[in-house]
């Protein structure tokens, strides 16, 4: 079967005029730490979304330059 691409692989193929919406569906802040290591140089290519206020607040603190919904 086909392998599911990693987040790094997906971000590399996003055209410059597009952005990837990353929805955080977990209330665990460790997810944000993992995103930090993956998205170091590619913050202009992503947006974040979450329904968890704690996660939204932490995303805003860690990634102030990224749009969050």
């Amino acid at each position: 079967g086909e392998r599911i691409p990693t987040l790094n692989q997906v971000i590399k193929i996003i055209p410059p005029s597009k952005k990837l919406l990353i929805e955080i569906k977990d209330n665990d802040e460790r997810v944000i730490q993992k995103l930090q290591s993956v998205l170091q140089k590619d913050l202009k290519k992503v947006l974040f979304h979450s329904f968890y206020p704690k996660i939204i607040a932490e995303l805003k603190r860690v990634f102030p330059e990224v749009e969050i919904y």
Side-chain angles (χ1 to χ4, degrees):
E2 244 181 271
R3 296 185 66 108
I4 297 173
T6 66
L7 183 56
N8 277 333
Q9 291 169 331
V10 171
I11 287 174
K12 286 181 184 189
I13 63 169
I14 295 174
S17 62
K18 303 292 181 186
K19 291 190 177 195
L20 176 67
L21 175 62
I22 300 174
E23 182 175 0
I24 312 296
K25 293 188 174 195
D26 195 337
N27 199 22
D28 188 340
E29 293 177 2
R30 290 179 292 182
V31 171
I32 297 170
Q33 293 170 349
K34 289 183 182 183
L35 283 172
Q36 254 185 311
S37 63
V38 172
L39 298 175
Q40 291 172 356
K41 295 182 265 181
D42 297 308
L43 292 175
K44 293 180 181 176
K45 294 182 176 184
V46 299
L47 308 167
F48 292 118
H49 174 74
S50 181
F51 288 110
Y52 295 103
K54 176 177 94 173
I55 296 298
I56 291 171
E58 185 64 10
L59 284 168
K60 286 181 179 182
R61 187 187 71 74
V62 174
F63 302 108
E65 64 278 18
V66 177
E67 293 178 69
I68 300 168
Y69 299 95

